[in-house]
Amino acid sequence: MNIVILTGAGISAESGLGTFRDVDGLWTKYDLEEVATPEGFARNPALVHEFYNARRKNCREAAPNAAHSALARLEQEYGGAVRIVTQNVDNLHERAGSRAVRHMHGELSRAICAACMHRWDAPEVMAPEDPCPACGVAATRPDVVWFGEFPYFMDEIYAELAGCDLFVSIGTSGNVYPAAGFVEAAAGAGAETLELNLEPSFNASAFMERRQGPAAKIVPEWVEQVIAGQ
Ligand code: APR
């Protein structure tokens, strides 16, 4: 079987990284219009860099949890293809050992120049006056996809969904498209669909099977079943 796994902030919650829409989520503390839109960046780049500098620091201090490790084990021990599409901008999947990971909303660890689109590894702290290493213009920003911008790798992702036998969604609320529509694309291509989440997501009814619980518990249990059953 080819397995495509979509992950969201919930898989990193037990690593201490905040989710967005839970009770104490990031969008309850920051106005996403100010820190996660191109308009917000144009208005106040210093605030946006401050927000992402803080998230970069949190990410450095966090560690992958048992759910990230279980998915890395699945990629290594399962006979079929295992591909992760993550909405997360943290690098916990990679630090747990996963290799086939696509960051559709970009990565905290990368920077991009708004003037020339050059990309490079982000320094720990970024500021509006930082010159782009390629063109020198002070237009550097985190290489993350903001609201109103196009997610990355969409052609590759839809091709993988069209060819998968099992689509698993882990730790996402199903609020944000296009990711929230991946389950329909996979089901339309004949895949089985499974949701592993702390509580039913907004689009839980679209999944053939749903399991509730903390990812660090239910993801390793699911991986164990898949590996034992192959
Ligand atoms: N284990 C499993 N699931 C969890 C856990 C946990 N320990 N803790 C929280 N969750 C679930 C919540 O129930 C919720 O359904 O994770 C989900 C988190 O939802 P959001 O905070 O909306 O995060 P996400 O779905 O990743 O947001 C999608 O929205 O703001 C944008 O770009 C941002 O990538 C993000 C996108």
Side-chain angles (χ1 to χ4, degrees):
M1 275 199 311
N2 291 336
I3 304 175
V4 172
I5 300 166
L6 171 68
T7 63
I11 199 170
S12 298
E14 289 157 277
S15 295
L17 296 185
T19 62
F20 294 96
R21 295 170 184 83
D22 286 332
V23 169
D24 56 351
L26 282 169
W27 296 151
T28 63
K29 297 169 188 157
Y30 290 90
D31 176 352
L32 69 84
E33 293 294 334
E34 288 186 356
V35 296
T37 62
E39 296 78 11
F41 182 66
R43 273 195 304 273
N44 188 345
L47 174 66
V48 173
H49 278 304
E50 181 190 308
F51 176 63
Y52 285 96
N53 290 341
R55 292 184 66 190
R56 214 173 279 116
K57 181 172 183 295
N58 291 345
C59 185
R60 271 198 312 280
E61 292 166 355
N65 64 56
H68 298 104
S69 302
L71 296 186
R73 178 189 172 209
L74 185 68
E75 183 181 12
Q76 284 142 22
E77 297 182 23
Y78 182 63
V82 175
R83 294 185 179 85
I84 294 173
V85 177
T86 187
Q87 300 172 92
N88 300 339
V89 292
D90 65 56
N91 60 355
L92 297 181
H93 283 302
E94 292 86 348
R95 285 163 58 190
S98 288
R99 292 188 303 279
V101 181
R102 292 191 197 281
H103 286 268
M104 64 181 288
H105 289 169
E107 297 176 77
L108 275 177
S109 60
R110 298 286 282 167
I112 187 171
C113 173
C116 74
M117 307 308 279
H118 172 65
R119 281 187 170 86
W120 66 100
D121 287 337
E124 288 188 14
V125 176
M126 294 181 74
E129 61 273 12
D130 293 347
C132 165
C135 73
V137 173
T140 63
R141 54 168 279 187
D143 188 11
V144 298
V145 176
W146 286 327
F147 288 96
E149 296 184 323
F150 290 102
Y152 293 151
F153 307 116
M154 293 311 294
D155 292 343
E156 296 89 340
I157 292 167
Y158 282 118
E160 286 168 4
L161 291 170
C164 79
D165 305 297
L166 174 61
F167 174 74
V168 186
S169 178
I170 302 173
T172 180
S173 62
N175 269 298
V176 176
Y177 284 82
F182 289 173
V183 55
E184 278 90 8
E192 292 177 26
T193 56
L194 166 65
E195 177 177 89
L196 304 176
N197 211 52
L198 189 61
E199 57 206 15
S201 70
F202 191 73
N203 60 346
S205 58
F207 289 85
M208 295 168 184
E209 184 189 354
R210 297 173 289 278
R211 299 184 191 181
Q212 262 81 54
K217 176 178 182 302
I218 66 174
V219 174
E221 288 170 353
W222 169 70
V223 166
E224 182 55 43
Q225 283 173 356
V226 171
I227 289 173
Q230 65 175 336

